[in-house]
Amino acid sequence: MRATAGDGAGLWGKRAARPAPLASAARAGTVSAVTSASTLSVPEPGPATARRLLVWYDRHKRAMPWRATSGRTEPYKVWLSEVMLQQTTVAAVGPYFERFTARWPTVEALAGADDAAVMEAWAGLGYYARARNLLKCARAVAEAGGRFPATEAELRALPGIGAYTAAAVAAIAFDEPAPVVDGNVERVVARLVALERPPKAEMARVRGLVEAMVPEGRPGDFAQAMMDLGATICTPRNPLCALCPLNADCRAAAAGNPLDYPRKMPKKARAAWFGTVYAPFRPDGAALFRVRPAKGLLGAMPELFGTPWAPVAPDPAPHAPFAAPWRAAGAISHGFTHAELTLDVMKAEVAAGTEAPAGAYWRLPEEAGLPTLMAKAVRRALAADD
Ligand code: SF4
């Protein structure tokens, strides 16, 4: 439900007696729920909340490589940055974004790229299915004439574009009043209304609350302002309520317990997987790699030879690439979304002329475009002799 302009400053002005912000105490983790947040007479956020936010945004918006300094950001850059930012920090994405747009400045250029070149350029960003979907989507857009569709619904129909990315591109690149809800926005909204259940369990309500705030004329700026507020002011562990432009609109701040929100989902135990990898090195420093199957975790990325990953460590011997004086080089661990993987690393020095098995190849590790997991394994192997 969209709020009307009538729930603006007049209503907010009624709350003269609300308590002062308790950010410093909340920061120190000493504040308990001094007042029941849900019973405070702080109205739900609406267009006036958005107006206050935009005043703040016009002064404090973050400079980002993909953000236009004036006017709208082009759809290609919004889409590319949003895909890269899923599960990854702004700081980590910046250099990748710069490299991608220097090499493939348009969606058509990206659509014409070699799969292997894109996967290599993506190496280190993780979640490699996103890189494969990135290419599928670029090719679908290029085939349709090279222009991204302008509505959330049409964007959603493209390969690899989920609800969040469709809303973000529609709002930021085309100013469609789509509710853009990422983790930052979930946290801000949960605190504004003192949401008593985890945002993921209340997504329809969260989206409705955001929709009610989206201002006429500046949906894209509003979406980015909410993200910026969540990233810089309403942070997970250190909300700066005293500096927040939405302090007067916030039930959690009024109750003095912003750190109690958002409520947490009960944690699921992550699976534990085990395996072994083999890192043979030639005298010139090259190591032996093969390419993983296109589907599944780290699909189509280079890897060391090794066992499958399983809840019980598989027998490694049958999975060595060849007979060699293998010795243990320690273990590494790596977290996937649903599992924690521990890999034993075996290493060996082999002769310069050692043949690669069928389908495998020798490559200097720094030139191999390794995903983080395999780069860790190689580093572990190299460090073993230090
Ligand atoms: S929205 Fe603002 S006032 Fe409310 S908890 Fe976050 S930082 Fe504090």
Side-chain angles (χ1 to χ4, degrees):
M1 185 190 73
R2 290 181 74 89
T4 63
D7 62 352
L11 271 179
W12 304 112
K14 287 180 186 170
R15 286 174 297 97
R18 63 184 295 274
L22 296 173
S24 57
R27 217 178 285 135
T30 58
V31 173
S32 60
V34 293
T35 313
S36 168
S38 56
T39 60
L40 287 176
S41 59
V42 178
E44 290 205 339
T49 317
R51 282 198 289 278
R52 281 189 270 283
L53 180 64
L54 287 172
V55 168
W56 171 84
Y57 179 71
D58 289 340
R59 293 188 60 187
H60 298 289
K61 73 176 172 186
R62 293 179 292 172
M64 311 257 221
W66 45 87
R67 227 175 230 182
T69 45
S70 64
R72 288 185 200 156
T73 302
E74 58 187 277
Y76 174 59
K77 290 186 176 171
V78 180
W79 164 73
L80 182 60
S81 63
E82 290 297 343
V83 175
M84 286 181 165
L85 283 165
Q86 290 161 21
Q87 318 280 346
T88 314
T89 63
V90 166
V93 163
Y96 283 89
F97 180 85
E98 305 270 21
R99 280 200 295 276
F100 261 69
T101 48
R103 192 164 173 190
W104 300 296
T106 63
V107 69
E108 287 101 331
L110 183 61
D114 277 349
D115 290 38
V118 172
M119 297 308 283
E120 195 177 322
W122 189 272
L125 268 179
Y127 298 90
Y128 294 89
R130 285 184 295 148
R132 292 194 295 278
N133 283 329
L134 190 83
L135 266 176
K136 274 191 208 156
C137 183
R139 286 168 185 158
V141 172
E143 270 172 30
R147 295 173 77 87
F148 278 86
T151 67
E152 185 183 4
E154 290 170 295
L155 285 158
R156 188 82 171 83
L158 287 169
I161 294 202
Y164 166 75
T165 307
V169 176
I172 298 169
F174 299 107
D175 262 340
E176 183 179 311
V180 182
V181 181
D182 68 355
N184 282 326
V185 176
E186 285 176 13
R187 182 172 59 257
V188 172
V189 170
R191 288 173 174 168
L192 283 175
V193 301
L195 197 64
E196 290 304 338
R197 297 179 65 215
K200 291 271 186 282
E202 292 267 15
M203 274 318 282
R205 170 128 201 264
V206 170
R207 284 173 63 87
L209 287 161
V210 173
E211 216 166 12
M213 282 189 274
V214 176
E216 298 278 336
R218 298 186 66 187
D221 283 348
F222 171 73
Q224 294 175 95
M226 285 290 277
M227 294 173 192
D228 282 14
L229 189 83
T232 62
I233 298 284
C234 193
T235 57
R237 282 179 286 280
N238 189 28
L240 304 172
C241 299
L243 301 177
C244 179
L246 306 190
N247 186 289
D249 306 314
C250 182
R251 291 181 183 174
N257 62 348
L259 294 181
D260 288 352
Y261 301 94
R263 302 291 200 215
K264 304 264 185 305
M265 288 288 229
K267 278 203 171 161
K268 280 189 201 154
R270 282 204 299 176
W273 294 338
F274 301 92
T276 299
V277 286
Y278 289 90
F281 294 100
R282 289 192 321 204
D284 64 356
L288 185 71
F289 299 104
R290 63 185 176 186
V291 176
R292 289 180 62 80
K295 293 220 159 137
L297 276 175
L298 307 182
M301 298 302 294
E303 69 168 0
L304 295 164
F305 275 69
T307 66
W309 307 333
V312 176
D315 175 11
H319 299 277
F322 37 60
W326 299 109
R327 60 192 190 279
I332 56 158
S333 58
H334 187 80
F336 291 105
T337 312
H338 303 298
E340 184 73 19
L341 171 66
T342 302
L343 284 180
D344 289 328
V345 180
M346 305 294 289
K347 73 176 289 189
E349 282 75 37
V350 298
T354 305
E355 295 249 333
Y361 55 93
W362 294 96
R363 184 77 48 89
L364 290 174
E366 59 272 25
E367 294 174 1
L370 296 178
T372 306
L373 168 66
M374 290 298 153
K376 263 192 225 176
V378 169
R379 281 199 300 273
R380 176 71 252 151
L382 290 170
D385 288 341
D386 291 345

